[in-house]
Amino acid sequence: MQDNSNEKEPSRDVSDPLVDENEQKRDDKPSNFKDIEAVLDHLGGAGRYNLLVLAAAAFFNVFTGMITLSANFTSAGVPFNCSDFGLDNVTLPADCQSSAATNASSTAIDSQCSVTFNCSSAMTEKLDKSDSLKLRTFDCQAFEFSETGMFLETAVSRFGLVCQRAWMSNLATTFYFVGFLFGCSVYGALADRFGRQKMALVSLINIIVCTIAASQAPLLWLYWSLQLLTGLGIGGFMSSTFSLALESTTPAYRNIWGMGLHNGWTIGIYLGTLIAYFERRYNFLLLYYGLTVLAAIPPVLLLSESPRWLVSTRRYKQADSVLQRIARINRRSLGDDNFSSEIIALRDKSASTGDEGISVLQLLKQPNMRLVTCIVWVMFFNVSMAYYGIWLAMGNLGGSIYRNQLIAATIEIPSRLLGMLASYRINRRVTIIVTYGCAGVCLAATAFLFGESHLSVARISTAMTGKFWVLIAFDLTWLYSAEVFPTVVRSLGVGTGSTFARAGAMISTLVPGLGVFWRPLPFLIFSIGPLLVVLLALAVPETRGRRLPNSMEDGERLAKTSRCCRRRRQQAQDISDGGGDIEL
């Protein structure tokens, strides 16, 4: 490209409201761009356009957080009484005495699920004719649900998910997370093929239609199916918008961008709790949630497609248009009117050195890398199960679920701030041990406080403190996984870790139900995982302040530094200093 310093600067399109017509001309004229990353670096990673994309992605997270944690209101228990034990056609001797066998949930302790008759003489032929002393239990056939409690109607009361069917009460949430798990993969693949913006719009419509349809579902199987499809859309929407946001900035800002996106999730919890406080019927609540998500459609339509994706799929004309728009909004210049991303892509020698044939087996092929990979998977699974498990157990802590939900959401703000500071100041391995250890201890303490009903304040306090540490551990796990995996398999490593996180979330929906056997059991289960990670963290390498591994060989050498001995620490120093090779 020849020097065009004597040519006039290309005119800016001042029709865009974000472009200042009287803006002072810049002196930093770009020269030859060696690759597309250089173009994006020149445009700026934290310009006005990038901040708009970040704000939009955080806004999208408002709706995903609101819907994901709606199960605390839509699947909550409702006090009930049995209206029919099926005794109309049964004749009992006069000396039979009944005793209520109450097997109801914790929200309906005084309600009957079954009734047992103790008869000292032979029963009539219709009942039994085998023993002179007989106990006979009759299960409830019909229920009457109270409309004077905290909730007027939930899916539990709508479909009679109590007593013998109580184990089904959380299955809607389980199906939701199953859909969430597959949504990340299905829509993620579609977004790689058809574009992030298009799939964000499709998944958003998916969410709206299925959420509104679920509010009107007359059958339990249909309600479960629509919850699964809603989770599918949420997973797709989150993965598409997350990729779009991170691909809009430069590597220097990606950590901040990734953490900033989650603030929308916290706002969504506030909004969802507020709506649920004023609407106590689950069907109208889901309807309002679905209608609220309509507000996300305009921002999706106004966003541009990811320029990185456009260049990688050789849609160069579209990429040029998007890059020019970003340049105008960020008040930058791309040099001349003949700017072409196609020429830059052809000039980039590394663009054609893709890693075809990469599979999950690559992560497990070498021994030290295999150990680190498995530990990262365990970290993702356990921290996700603890995080979502605490959220889904809010109603079991005592007190108002609305108050508990708001406290838990408020805790996320200082938790993320402390996590961000810790990521810059403290070594990763130390932070992992401290955060997971504190989380495990607090959750175990919460479990043993369930034995005394008058300790509800202490129980809520320890649970919220545990959630504080769990959230830091969760964010740290994402950051650590992005640092420990080599470049050639980094997306694969983080992606498989995300899959284990979704699996942990799915399992967490079933754990609170174990409280009917022993009330401390759910929180004991949530505490075991983080405490296990504390032990495993002794075998992971330190990554803070080190150059990121590029090849599988780099990753294996980094993984070997996890051994606690002087020779391994010396090897770690060699890697950090960029010294000689480490013998495998």
Side-chain angles (χ1 to χ4, degrees):
M1 183 181 296
Q2 297 179 351
D3 185 9
N4 296 323
S5 59
N6 295 326
E7 294 184 11
K8 298 175 66 177
E9 182 182 1
S11 60
R12 288 179 168 86
D13 182 2
V14 296
S15 62
D16 194 315
L18 294 178
V19 178
D20 186 0
E21 183 177 5
N22 298 320
E23 177 191 354
Q24 186 177 0
K25 296 182 179 180
R26 287 184 169 271
D27 295 329
D28 52 335
K29 288 296 187 82
S31 57
N32 294 341
F33 297 111
K34 64 178 181 179
D35 53 28
I36 194 64
E37 287 293 334
V39 177
L40 295 171
D41 286 339
H42 171 74
L43 294 178
R48 291 193 296 176
Y49 176 81
N50 312 91
L51 293 175
L52 287 173
V53 174
L54 174 63
F59 179 66
F60 298 149
N61 262 354
V62 169
F63 306 106
T64 58
M66 178 180 67
I67 293 178
T68 298
L69 297 176
S70 64
N72 282 340
F73 310 112
T74 59
S75 298
V78 178
F80 65 94
N81 289 295
C82 182
S83 60
D84 182 14
F85 282 108
L87 298 175
D88 294 342
N89 298 323
V90 175
T91 303
L92 299 174
D95 58 353
C96 289
Q97 297 179 348
S98 66
S99 59
T102 55
N103 299 319
S105 63
S106 59
T107 58
I109 296 177
D110 298 327
S111 302
Q112 294 178 334
C113 287
S114 60
V115 62
T116 299
F117 287 90
N118 186 350
C119 302
S120 59
S121 61
M123 296 183 178
T124 61
E125 183 176 353
K126 289 184 178 180
L127 181 60
D128 200 301
K129 58 182 181 180
S130 58
D131 299 320
S132 59
L133 183 62
K134 186 70 177 178
L135 292 176
R136 184 66 180 268
T137 300
F138 295 87
D139 293 329
C140 185
Q141 304 298 313
F143 304 95
E144 290 181 353
F145 291 89
S146 171
E147 292 190 355
T148 60
M150 189 176 297
F151 303 99
L152 298 180
E153 184 183 37
T154 68
V156 171
S157 60
R158 173 67 178 81
F159 300 109
L161 305 181
V162 293
C163 295
Q164 289 78 16
R165 288 159 57 91
W167 64 274
M168 301 181 183
S169 60
N170 286 324
L171 282 185
T173 312
T174 304
F175 284 120
Y176 173 87
F177 279 108
V178 171
F180 197 114
L181 173 65
F182 288 101
C184 293
S185 302
V186 173
Y187 274 106
L190 292 174
D192 286 340
R193 181 175 179 84
F194 299 106
R196 283 77 166 102
Q197 185 195 29
K198 290 185 179 67
M199 286 303 104
L201 182 61
V202 172
S203 58
L204 187 61
I205 295 173
N206 177 348
I207 296 169
I208 296 170
V209 171
C210 292
T211 303
I212 295 176
S215 70
Q216 307 300 318
L219 302 173
L220 181 58
W221 67 265
L222 181 59
Y223 178 71
W224 284 345
S225 301
L226 290 169
Q227 285 289 317
L228 186 147
L229 293 175
T230 300
L232 190 77
I234 290 287
F237 189 59
M238 288 186 68
S239 63
S240 299
T241 55
F242 187 79
S243 297
L244 186 61
L246 291 193
E247 289 174 1
S248 72
T249 188
T250 56
Y253 293 96
R254 282 180 188 167
N255 285 346
I256 300 176
W257 251 235
M259 293 182 179
L261 295 177
H262 296 298
N263 293 324
W265 177 278
T266 303
I267 296 173
I269 298 171
Y270 281 121
L271 179 62
T273 305
L274 180 65
I275 297 174
Y277 181 80
F278 290 103
E279 180 49 67
R280 304 299 178 97
R281 296 182 182 274
Y282 89 101
N283 53 345
F284 286 103
L285 182 62
L286 288 177
L287 177 63
Y288 296 152
Y289 283 173
L291 294 176
T292 303
V293 180
L294 288 169
I297 292 180
V300 171
L301 295 176
L302 291 175
L303 287 177
S304 298
E305 183 56 81
S306 165
R308 281 187 174 87
W309 178 81
L310 291 172
V311 171
S312 67
T313 55
R314 301 181 181 180
R315 292 171 168 83
Y316 298 117
K317 290 185 178 180
Q318 291 177 261
D320 293 345
S321 176
V322 170
L323 291 170
Q324 292 287 1
R325 180 173 185 241
I326 296 174
R328 291 195 301 270
I329 296 176
N330 284 359
R331 300 177 180 179
R332 296 282 180 140
S333 172
L334 289 176
D336 54 48
D337 293 327
N338 296 323
F339 171 81
S340 172
S341 59
E342 181 177 7
I343 296 176
I344 296 174
L346 294 175
R347 184 186 302 150
D348 182 11
K349 301 298 184 180
S350 63
S352 60
T353 60
D355 297 299
E356 294 80 0
I358 293 294
S359 70
V360 70
L361 296 178
Q362 293 290 105
L363 299 173
L364 305 174
K365 189 173 291 185
Q366 300 182 11
N368 294 288
M369 196 69 219
R370 178 168 60 244
L371 174 63
V372 171
T373 298
C374 291
I375 292 176
V376 169
W377 288 347
V378 171
M379 291 168 61
F380 267 112
F381 179 86
N382 286 293
V383 75
S384 179
M385 184 171 70
Y387 177 79
Y388 287 104
I390 296 171
W391 273 116
L392 297 175
M394 287 292 168
N396 299 332
L397 294 176
S400 170
I401 188 173
Y402 302 101
R403 181 195 61 192
N404 295 347
Q405 191 105 336
L406 291 176
I407 293 174
T410 304
I411 282 175
E412 295 203 348
I413 299 173
S415 177
R416 286 205 162 92
L417 289 176
L418 180 60
M420 187 179 299
L421 292 175
S423 68
Y424 284 102
R425 295 290 183 181
I426 307 175
N427 288 343
R428 300 286 186 259
R429 185 158 50 187
V430 173
T431 313
I432 290 172
I433 292 174
V434 171
T435 55
Y436 276 90
C438 291
V441 170
C442 290
L443 295 179
T446 303
F448 289 108
L449 289 173
F450 271 99
E452 302 293 337
S453 59
H454 64 280
L455 296 177
S456 61
V457 175
R459 187 164 57 243
I460 293 172
S461 300
T462 54
M464 296 305 169
T465 305
K467 183 181 178 299
F468 177 90
W469 293 108
V470 165
L471 183 59
I472 299 178
F474 210 161
D475 288 345
L476 179 64
T477 301
W478 286 102
L479 176 60
Y480 183 78
S481 65
E483 293 176 337
V484 76
F485 289 113
T487 301
V488 293
V489 291
R490 184 166 294 125
S491 295
L492 179 64
V494 176
T496 54
S498 175
T499 300
F500 276 86
R502 307 306 174 211
M506 185 175 62
I507 298 299
S508 72
T509 64
L510 304 175
V511 175
L514 299 177
V516 298
F517 303 105
W518 188 38
R519 291 195 69 192
L521 185 57
F523 274 85
L524 277 180
I525 293 175
F526 296 145
S527 68
I528 291 174
L531 294 176
L532 173 63
V533 172
V534 172
L535 299 177
L536 296 177
L538 299 174
V540 299
E542 180 56 53
T543 59
R544 176 179 172 267
R546 294 181 178 171
R547 61 182 184 184
L548 297 179
N550 290 317
S551 64
M552 292 303 299
E553 290 74 17
D554 290 340
E556 177 68 6
R557 290 196 308 228
L558 176 62
K560 289 176 70 174
T561 65
S562 61
R563 305 293 176 81
C564 299
C565 67
R566 182 178 303 176
R567 186 168 65 90
R568 298 299 181 182
R569 287 198 298 269
Q570 183 60 43
Q571 292 175 344
Q573 184 64 35
D574 292 341
I575 291 181
S576 179
D577 296 338
D581 293 340
I582 297 175
E583 184 180 358
L584 299 181

